[in-house]
Amino acid sequence: MEEFAELVGLSRPTVSKYFNEPGSVRAKTRERIEAAIKQSGFRPNMFAMNLNRRRSNILGIIIPNSTDPFYMALTRRVELIANEAGLLAVLLSSDGNPELEERAIETLKSLNIAGAIIAPLGASSHHDTLSELGKSIPLVYVDSPLDETSSFVGTDNRQSFRLIVDYLCRSGEPPCYLGMPGVNTNAHTRELAYVEAMQSLGMMPEILETASHRNWDFEKFGFDEMLKRLKSKKSLPTRTVLCANDRIAFGAIAAAWQSGLKVGRGDAFDIRIAGHDDHPLSRYACPPITTVAQNYDEIGRLATQLLLSRLDEEDPPPDGKRILLEAQIMLRSSA
């Protein structure tokens, strides 16, 4: 930076000011610096610059699966808002592996990040490592909270399950419930939300027994568990199945089709299958999946907004704020 400043014939603080915010220097100075950049090819090491700051301009993002459209939509929104605020968002994936999640945390710490948005593995997360990180920088969790005290932005599962259960009960047989592997807190909270919704309507909850899994391959889980049930002597307690999420519904619908069952609503069909989340591909499934929609865009916006507001606090409180969003029902052909 000093060598570049000497080349331009300006002071180092002026050059540094330009690289932090180009609009903060006069137009003639900016033109002069940009001409020197073209001449020299100089680019400052942004990560090295951030290591020297009390608070860097880097935000961290950790997600369980970088190829899942849910997390892709969420992180795209976070990155756009961060860029508008003059911040650099660094995205890392834990790939459903607690050791990779811990490595991602250590990587973000080494970059001197200002704060982070994390979709935790939850049940298998290294809670101590995340708690220790939360003592030094603001953290906001999305998709599922780490615990009852963490800052969190996500869907109100109790509201969303009341919505879908009420619809399924009014339009046909009450639903039984095909849960999800216990990979994060959603597994427990969504099952409880289903039970509460059924009981509020005076219905008996019917939870399908499944094998114990800690695997993020939800489609395979839904397929295997539904096929096992359909092949066994244990028949389904009802002709309506509500899945914990749409990815499980993808697998359940494939298993029903392989078993010769017609999935859809009406007397001409054998079984109804509904989901939760409104996965971006749910509308293109065969048949398109009836589900409740999480507002991915709003979750990303509010999580980033909450994190940025905490960055402005001199000594952010450790106790977390919770923002729960209502879901909307998406009526399609599967139920």
Side-chain angles (χ1 to χ4, degrees):
M1 185 82 78
E2 287 174 0
E3 291 173 359
F4 179 75
E6 187 178 343
L7 171 70
V8 184
L10 295 169
S11 68
R12 187 186 187 285
T14 299
V15 171
S16 180
K17 190 177 180 184
Y18 166 83
F19 282 113
N20 282 322
E21 177 50 61
S24 65
V25 299
R26 289 181 299 178
K28 284 188 177 180
T29 302
R30 190 164 62 247
E31 290 171 7
R32 188 171 164 183
I33 292 172
E34 287 170 356
I37 289 173
K38 288 181 180 178
Q39 176 190 342
S40 66
F42 172 76
R43 286 290 184 276
N45 187 322
M46 300 305 294
F47 293 110
M49 290 169 64
N50 276 290
L51 289 175
N52 289 324
R53 294 173 174 164
R54 186 179 67 83
R55 196 198 84 187
S56 74
N57 67 345
I58 301 176
L59 295 184
I61 309 171
I62 300 178
I63 55 174
N65 186 340
S66 58
T67 62
D68 188 302
F70 167 78
Y71 295 117
M72 290 170 66
L74 192 69
T75 54
R76 189 181 303 119
R77 183 64 161 147
V78 173
E79 288 171 331
L80 285 173
I81 298 172
N83 288 337
E84 289 171 2
L87 300 169
L88 173 67
V90 175
L91 173 64
L92 298 173
S93 173
S94 60
D95 198 28
N97 184 322
E99 303 310 318
L100 289 180
E101 183 182 69
E102 184 165 36
R103 188 186 302 174
I105 294 165
E106 293 302 323
T107 299
L108 293 182
K109 285 167 67 177
S110 72
L111 295 176
N112 190 31
I113 59 169
I117 293 174
I118 299 175
L121 296 181
S124 57
S125 288
H126 292 269
H127 286 237
D128 291 343
T129 306
L130 286 168
S131 297
E132 194 63 31
L133 180 64
K135 291 176 183 177
S136 58
I137 60 167
L139 301 180
V140 176
Y141 292 93
V142 292
D143 190 34
S144 65
L146 185 69
D147 52 40
E148 294 302 316
T149 62
S150 51
S151 294
F152 174 68
V153 179
T155 300
D156 184 346
N157 284 320
R158 296 176 72 180
Q159 179 269 341
S160 60
F161 273 86
R162 280 197 303 269
L163 197 63
I164 189 72
V165 168
D166 177 70
Y167 162 73
L168 293 173
C169 288
R170 284 187 293 103
S171 58
E173 291 185 22
C176 57
Y177 181 72
L178 178 56
M180 59 186 283
V183 292
N184 61 24
T185 56
N186 278 335
H188 180 61
T189 57
R190 290 187 176 188
E191 183 175 306
L192 283 181
Y194 161 76
V195 170
E196 283 184 16
M198 290 289 283
Q199 290 175 340
S200 70
L201 295 171
M203 303 287 182
M204 178 66 71
E206 295 278 3
I207 299 172
L208 299 180
E209 184 180 341
T210 59
S212 179
H213 284 278
R214 294 277 184 184
N215 195 310
W216 285 78
D217 192 351
F218 296 151
E219 292 85 358
K220 185 177 187 305
F221 174 84
F223 179 84
D224 289 345
E225 293 299 328
M226 178 62 81
L227 195 62
K228 181 172 65 177
R229 171 69 65 155
L230 294 175
K231 283 184 173 181
S232 72
K233 294 179 181 178
K234 280 186 176 179
S235 60
L236 290 168
T238 166
R239 293 193 308 148
T240 302
V241 180
L242 173 58
C243 299
N245 63 44
D246 290 345
R247 291 180 57 192
I248 290 169
F250 290 145
I253 288 172
W257 176 83
Q258 186 167 309
S259 301
L261 299 179
K262 293 174 65 178
V263 179
R265 62 172 179 261
D267 294 337
F269 296 91
D270 303 304
I271 188 172
R272 296 191 302 164
I273 298 177
H276 189 287
D277 291 352
D278 195 25
H279 186 287
L281 299 180
S282 294
R283 69 192 64 191
Y284 304 115
C286 186
I289 298 173
T290 290
T291 184
V292 277
Q294 297 195 84
N295 192 333
Y296 310 146
D297 196 63
E298 191 68 356
I299 291 172
R301 185 186 74 82
L302 290 172
T304 312
Q305 190 178 73
L306 177 58
L307 182 61
L308 294 179
S309 70
R310 294 193 68 202
L311 294 183
D312 293 333
E313 298 173 2
E314 194 66 33
D315 187 20
D319 52 312
K321 180 179 180 181
R322 299 214 156 193
I323 302 175
L324 297 179
L325 304 179
E326 292 195 348
Q328 292 184 317
I329 195 162
M330 308 299 290
L331 297 180
R332 301 191 180 111
S333 306
S334 74

